[in-house]
Amino acid sequence: MAVTVIQTPSTVFDMAYGANPLTLSGIDTIANADKYALRIYIVGQTDPVADIRQTPNRIGRAIFDMQNILQSYVGPQNNQVDSQFVAGIPQNNRISLAGATLLEYQIAYATEAGGVVSAFTTYPEIFTVIAGSKQYFQIPFDTNPYQPKISGDDGTLPCSVIDRSAKPLSDNEFTIADELPGKTIGIYSSPGGIDVHNVYRDDECTKTFYQKVERSSTAAPNTAVQGIEAFYILQYSATSSSAIQTNVIVNVQANGGGPNIALGQGTLISGDFQTLTIASGPKNLMVPLNAATAYYYIIPAVYGCSDDAQSQIDVMTAAAWKAQKYIINDEPCNDYPHVQFAWQNSYGYRDYFTFTKRVNHKTRTKNNNFLKGTADYNSANYSVDLQDRGLTTYSQKIENMFEVQSGYMNDAEAELLKHLYQSGEVKVRFSTGPYANQWVPVVITNTAYTEKTYRKDRLFQYTVSFKLASNIKSMRG
């Protein structure tokens, strides 16, 4: 007999912030063994990042919770992700990969007897952890809502069939029923519904998807079906009954995505390619935004079938992940200068909201003073000038404080904002002032959050207080 692994984190992906248990058993079958040994390796590295020993519990097993170790090796998205593909940015920034938000690792296990460790056995599975959080009871994390399941049907068209649609890695729950068939003469659809975002023409946004699909084991799809093959973008004016502009952005490395280099390659997905973040806001959309566009859809799709007349460029026209609808709101003349927020959501990626009403700004200064003599005793004689200083400022703490108010919102948008208050990684983009059109890190200073709903409060707004994450520097007195 030997040591066996009887419990692991999710084998698709799991969240770093929450229990990631690994349970070993079988030490009682090995003579003189008194401890379990566990090593954690980052994929591609030969030295372990952790080497742990644990004595067996009362039933002879060892339960290792790896979350603290894994959290040390993941982080937020890169600083430039929100501004990807604004005017002048290269084509390969239309899509970005996981980067620091995702880690692949393996484990090896052994036993120890009297300080001597046996040979380690490497567990064959490669695990993926993402810089998000989960509830204490989500053991292991359920990945089905974020991973579509695709099967194949060679007898009838289409050749790829969506058995289960997925949602993006976002806390936005503002979802409507599928309206695409009625707007596209049945060509496009989104079986899982459509996520809605109220935005303004100057907003920069992104949306992140876990792109590796679950391939049916009983009716396998085409080998090219591995992840997101392309994104359809359909733009509509306020009065048009059909799209005024249709574009297709292929998920290839030339556009910043991948792992495919060309359409339909079917390259296996691993590493940073597991999540894709697309430039989705009106200001940084992956394609030029038409001046007449009032709303647009982004449809993530998998490889379809070359024989399917409805499948343009061999890509399905049904959304395997929920289609994203962006409604471009006009700016009323009584709006204040807009302040757009971006924050790390519960999945480790960005969500957005724009505050359009009152903006209050104040500066708070705390001086560190000391009293010195006004005369200079190193001079030729004792002399004092009227302008010589006695009480002198040695240092100052200068904080930039802001308070912003939203417009009226619906319950789904209020639920999304709950995660803003809870996020430890928040940035804002001012539309005016010295920081205009730049993402600036801030710290939310609201110490309490009161949930509001239409049923309780009818028309309601939210107020957020924050300060810049870096204080203003000043000279000494």
Side-chain angles (χ1 to χ4, degrees):
M1 295 292 289
V3 172
T4 56
V5 177
I6 62 172
Q7 182 186 31
T8 70
S10 170
T11 54
V12 180
F13 68 88
D14 216 313
M15 295 299 179
Y17 292 88
N20 278 262
L22 182 112
T23 302
L24 301 178
S25 179
I27 197 171
D28 53 338
T29 65
I30 301 172
N32 301 319
D34 52 25
K35 292 180 183 177
Y36 289 96
L38 176 68
R39 287 178 176 174
I40 301 174
Y41 294 85
I42 295 176
V43 170
Q45 297 184 10
T46 56
D47 295 328
V49 296
D51 194 340
I52 314 167
R53 304 291 182 270
Q54 187 167 312
T55 55
N57 62 20
R58 62 182 181 178
I59 61 171
R61 297 179 178 181
I63 302 172
F64 298 84
D65 185 358
M66 301 179 289
Q67 64 170 309
N68 289 337
I69 298 167
L70 299 175
Q71 288 166 16
S72 300
Y73 294 92
V74 294
Q77 289 182 282
N78 70 78
N79 289 335
Q80 284 72 45
V81 69
D82 310 279
S83 301
Q84 64 182 18
F85 210 59
V86 294
I89 298 297
Q91 173 183 340
N92 62 5
N93 274 9
R94 286 171 163 167
I95 306 170
S96 65
L97 306 179
T101 64
L102 182 147
L103 175 74
E104 283 190 322
Y105 67 96
Q106 278 188 288
I107 60 103
Y109 54 91
T111 58
E112 182 178 291
V116 178
V117 182
S118 65
F120 277 86
T121 300
T122 300
Y123 192 70
E125 190 76 48
I126 293 177
F127 297 99
T128 296
V129 67
I130 289 175
S133 61
K134 62 182 181 180
Q135 298 280 7
Y136 66 92
F137 54 82
Q138 293 179 302
I139 310 297
F141 185 72
D142 181 12
T143 58
N144 282 347
Y146 316 97
Q147 184 184 35
K149 184 176 181 180
I150 309 297
S151 61
D153 183 358
D154 293 328
T156 59
L157 298 176
C159 295
S160 295
V161 177
I162 301 171
D163 297 328
R164 181 184 69 233
S165 58
K167 60 172 288 183
L169 297 174
S170 169
D171 290 315
N172 178 39
E173 299 294 341
F174 188 2
T175 302
I176 61 174
D178 184 16
E179 61 184 14
L180 280 168
K183 290 180 174 290
T184 62
I185 325 174
I187 297 176
Y188 297 92
S189 63
S190 184
I194 297 173
D195 286 342
V196 179
H197 311 266
N198 283 308
V199 295
Y200 295 88
R201 194 164 289 271
D202 194 50
D203 283 358
E204 296 175 1
C205 305
T206 62
K207 189 62 66 175
T208 302
F209 302 86
Y210 183 79
Q211 73 148 332
K212 186 191 294 188
V213 305
E214 180 185 347
R215 293 170 52 86
S216 172
S217 58
T218 56
N222 189 301
T223 56
V225 179
Q226 301 292 338
I228 297 176
E229 198 69 27
F231 297 91
Y232 293 102
I233 302 176
L234 314 179
Q235 300 185 43
Y236 288 77
S237 71
T239 58
S240 63
S241 57
S242 58
I244 60 173
Q245 183 174 322
T246 301
N247 299 90
V248 182
I249 300 298
V250 180
N251 175 27
V252 291
Q253 293 187 29
N255 285 330
N260 285 353
I261 296 175
L263 183 73
Q265 278 190 316
T267 308
L268 297 180
I269 295 168
S270 63
D272 281 0
F273 293 107
Q274 292 182 70
T275 66
L276 294 181
T277 299
I278 61 170
S280 61
K283 186 176 181 180
N284 65 328
L285 189 60
M286 294 184 287
V287 297
L289 185 70
N290 192 298
T293 297
Y295 61 95
Y296 56 91
Y297 301 91
I298 300 177
I299 303 172
V302 298
Y303 190 84
C305 175
S306 56
D307 298 325
D308 182 2
Q310 298 293 329
S311 182
Q312 301 180 24
I313 62 163
D314 302 343
V315 177
M316 285 191 76
T317 52
W321 296 257
K322 287 183 182 180
Q324 305 296 304
K325 181 180 183 180
Y326 288 81
I327 301 172
I328 303 175
N329 294 289
D330 294 327
E331 296 185 24
C333 60
N334 62 347
D335 268 6
Y336 285 75
H338 288 187
V339 178
Q340 187 183 11
F341 282 77
W343 65 93
Q344 182 173 326
N345 62 30
S346 64
Y347 302 97
Y349 297 94
R350 298 278 170 85
D351 279 329
Y352 302 82
F353 193 84
T354 298
F355 284 68
T356 61
K357 299 305 178 184
R358 182 183 297 276
V359 179
N360 295 321
H361 176 216
K362 65 180 179 180
T363 301
R364 184 166 62 190
T365 303
K366 181 179 180 181
N367 294 336
N368 182 12
N369 300 325
F370 68 97
L371 184 63
K372 72 173 184 176
T374 55
D376 182 3
Y377 286 88
N378 288 316
S379 62
N381 54 48
Y382 186 95
S383 63
V384 178
D385 187 271
L386 178 63
Q387 297 189 50
D388 288 339
R389 177 175 293 279
L391 190 65
T392 302
T393 299
Y394 176 75
S395 64
Q396 291 178 308
K397 180 182 179 182
I398 307 175
E399 295 180 319
N400 257 328
M401 315 288 292
F402 295 86
E403 184 181 81
V404 295
Q405 190 176 51
S406 74
Y408 295 116
M409 63 180 67
N410 58 42
D411 287 356
E413 291 171 322
E415 180 67 20
L416 175 65
L417 273 188
K418 176 179 71 176
H419 299 277
L420 165 63
Y421 289 95
Q422 298 172 355
S423 179
E425 173 70 14
V426 182
K427 295 181 179 176
V428 301
R429 191 168 66 95
F430 298 95
S431 55
T432 59
Y435 305 107
N437 299 314
Q438 303 175 75
W439 288 101
V440 183
V442 302
V443 176
I444 302 297
T445 58
N446 294 62
T447 57
Y449 164 84
T450 302
E451 184 180 73
K452 298 180 180 180
T453 63
Y454 179 78
R455 183 177 182 182
K456 293 188 304 181
D457 305 281
R458 290 296 185 245
L459 297 176
F460 62 90
Q461 301 165 284
Y462 274 115
T463 299
V464 174
S465 300
F466 63 92
K467 64 180 180 180
L468 298 188
S470 298
N471 293 333
I472 299 172
K473 300 297 181 182
S474 67
M475 296 176 61
R476 293 179 182 177

